[in-house]
Amino acid sequence: MDKVLIVGFEDYRAQAQALCAALQLDYQEIRLHGFPDGESLVQVPVDLPAHVVLVRSLNQPNNKLIELLLSVSALRRHGARRITLIAPYLCYMRQDAENHPGEAVSQQVIGQLLADSFDDVITVDPHLHRVRRLVQAIPARHALAVTAAGEIGQFLKRKYTDGLLVGPDCESEQWVSEIATAVGFSYAVANKVRSGDKQVAVSLPERDYAGQHAILIDDMASTGRTLAQAAEKLLQGGARQVDAVVTHPLFCSDAEQVIRQSGVTHIWSTDSIAHSTNAISMANVLADALRQIA
């Protein structure tokens, strides 16, 4: 790989440094200062190589997007000719259609914004619905989505000798089936009906759950209500223990508490978003992705 500098922010420092270690690259940090009126002052490193990789996960995204735009402008002014964004969690991907008259299609807006700002975008398991390929949402030169399924599978092999993997809704089936096949576990997929941000109804498929060690697998936990309901149904069905593994631990408001109160024993997550439940590093997967396009 030609000379590349990885730059990041304090809020995602540990993960950026892990990526640097995997690639044997240098790391420098972008300095932020917040003014009393809410504006941000951004100060990037100078004397830059031609290729700079900016690492930041885009949960709680609104301020972060402004800071990214300011950073990209300063990086290009100080010598960066190619800028790659590694955003393990990618925001605003769910709204891919105008579901009600007047709604902004945020996937198109933010996708174009990122494509205009960065030469390449790398992310982990983006929350796409009708759009199948990331480049359709982010028309950059390279738009690459990698999956956490392999790393989650290896983690499960180290942690468990057997278990029933359970996807809490039909959207999770793609990850659950792939992981189950890789580790040799059985799996089931629940059905979910959502009636609001925190109102969901989960039903399990017909099968015997008595005595099972169930492991819920989902791409993200936001409000936690889906995982909580699935856990409650599994325990009511006789499961002896329920754990949960999520790719993107958003855990908004009281989500983690809700999940734990439902009876989930352990919650594990990847480090796509910095959180106390992080147990699965994505550094090697992201390093391989960067090598692929560098």
Side-chain angles (χ1 to χ4, degrees), residues 83-205:
I83 304 180
T84 300
L85 173 66
I86 295 182
Y89 175 73
L90 195 56
C91 59
Y92 285 114
M93 289 294 105
R94 282 178 277 191
Q95 182 85 20
D96 60 3
E98 186 176 350
N99 297 313
H100 301 96
E103 288 183 346
V105 184
S106 57
Q107 184 189 92
Q108 295 176 3
V109 175
I110 301 304
Q112 190 62 56
L113 177 71
L114 295 177
D116 291 342
S117 302
F118 295 93
D119 300 283
D120 324 287
V121 176
I122 299 172
T123 191
V124 177
D125 290 327
H127 204 75
L128 304 177
H129 292 297
R130 285 165 282 260
V131 168
R132 292 184 174 272
R133 298 170 59 233
L134 184 63
V135 72
Q136 295 173 271
I138 305 176
R141 180 173 67 169
H142 296 111
L144 183 59
V146 299
T147 182
E151 297 299 305
I152 291 174
Q154 290 180 32
F155 175 79
L156 293 177
K157 278 186 175 181
R158 294 192 299 269
K159 280 283 179 185
Y160 306 99
T161 57
D162 194 16
L164 171 67
L165 305 188
V166 179
D169 54 35
C170 61
E171 292 174 354
S172 65
E173 183 169 7
Q174 57 185 313
W175 295 286
V176 175
S177 60
E178 181 179 347
I179 295 167
T181 299
V183 301
F185 290 4
S186 57
Y187 77 95
V189 178
N191 183 62
K192 177 180 73 175
V193 177
R194 180 179 292 280
S195 55
D197 288 342
K198 294 186 177 182
Q199 290 78 45
V200 295
V202 175
S203 58
L204 297 176

Side-chain angles (χ1 to χ4, degrees), residues 1-292:
M1 186 182 295
D2 294 335
K3 183 167 176 56
V4 177
L5 175 67
I6 292 183
V7 298
F9 296 82
E10 182 182 5
D11 59 26
Y12 206 62
R13 178 186 293 156
Q15 291 85 347
Q17 289 178 333
L19 179 62
C20 289
L23 292 163
Q24 297 185 315
L25 294 175
D26 292 333
Y27 172 75
Q28 293 191 46
E29 199 153 283
I30 295 172
R31 294 177 59 191
L32 294 175
H33 173 74
F35 290 109
D37 63 359
E39 293 185 358
S40 296
L41 174 66
V42 168
Q43 184 180 11
V44 304
V46 296
D47 300 322
L48 299 171
H51 188 183
V52 173
V53 178
L54 198 161
V55 180
R56 196 179 206 188
S57 207
L58 295 180
N59 57 307
Q60 301 294 319
N62 292 356
N63 285 347
K64 291 181 179 181
L65 288 170
I66 294 296
E67 290 162 359
L68 284 187
L69 293 179
L70 296 174
S71 299
V72 166
S73 174
L75 289 167
R76 293 200 189 278
R77 192 165 63 250
H78 284 276
R81 294 197 296 274
R82 177 182 179 186
I83 304 180
T84 300
L85 173 66
I86 295 182
Y89 175 73
L90 195 56
C91 59
Y92 285 114
M93 289 294 105
R94 282 178 277 191
Q95 182 85 20
D96 60 3
E98 186 176 350
N99 297 313
H100 301 96
E103 288 183 346
V105 184
S106 57
Q107 184 189 92
Q108 295 176 3
V109 175
I110 301 304
Q112 190 62 56
L113 177 71
L114 295 177
D116 291 342
S117 302
F118 295 93
D119 300 283
D120 324 287
V121 176
I122 299 172
T123 191
V124 177
D125 290 327
H127 204 75
L128 304 177
H129 292 297
R130 285 165 282 260
V131 168
R132 292 184 174 272
R133 298 170 59 233
L134 184 63
V135 72
Q136 295 173 271
I138 305 176
R141 180 173 67 169
H142 296 111
L144 183 59
V146 299
T147 182
E151 297 299 305
I152 291 174
Q154 290 180 32
F155 175 79
L156 293 177
K157 278 186 175 181
R158 294 192 299 269
K159 280 283 179 185
Y160 306 99
T161 57
D162 194 16
L164 171 67
L165 305 188
V166 179
D169 54 35
C170 61
E171 292 174 354
S172 65
E173 183 169 7
Q174 57 185 313
W175 295 286
V176 175
S177 60
E178 181 179 347
I179 295 167
T181 299
V183 301
F185 290 4
S186 57
Y187 77 95
V189 178
N191 183 62
K192 177 180 73 175
V193 177
R194 180 179 292 280
S195 55
D197 288 342
K198 294 186 177 182
Q199 290 78 45
V200 295
V202 175
S203 58
L204 297 176
E206 294 269 344
R207 63 174 297 155
D208 184 11
Y209 297 99
Q212 294 273 14
H213 184 173
I215 306 158
L216 290 161
I217 306 286
D218 207 359
D219 68 323
M220 69 169 62
S222 181
T223 68
R225 270 57 181 180
T226 300
L227 288 174
Q229 276 220 20
E232 289 170 357
K233 297 285 186 182
L234 287 163
L235 292 168
Q236 290 166 8
R240 74 175 189 275
Q241 181 174 320
V242 179
D243 295 332
V245 180
V246 299
T247 301
H248 302 300
L250 290 162
F251 293 130
C252 304
S253 184
D254 61 348
E256 184 180 358
Q257 179 184 359
V258 166
I259 295 169
R260 293 192 186 280
Q261 288 178 343
S262 72
V264 171
T265 302
H266 298 111
I267 304 173
W268 314 107
S269 67
T270 80
D271 62 358
S272 70
I273 295 170
H275 193 267
S276 60
T277 58
N278 290 167
I280 304 164
S281 172
M282 292 303 298
N284 289 330
V285 173
L286 293 169
D288 289 342
L290 186 59
R291 291 188 191 100
Q292 182 179 331

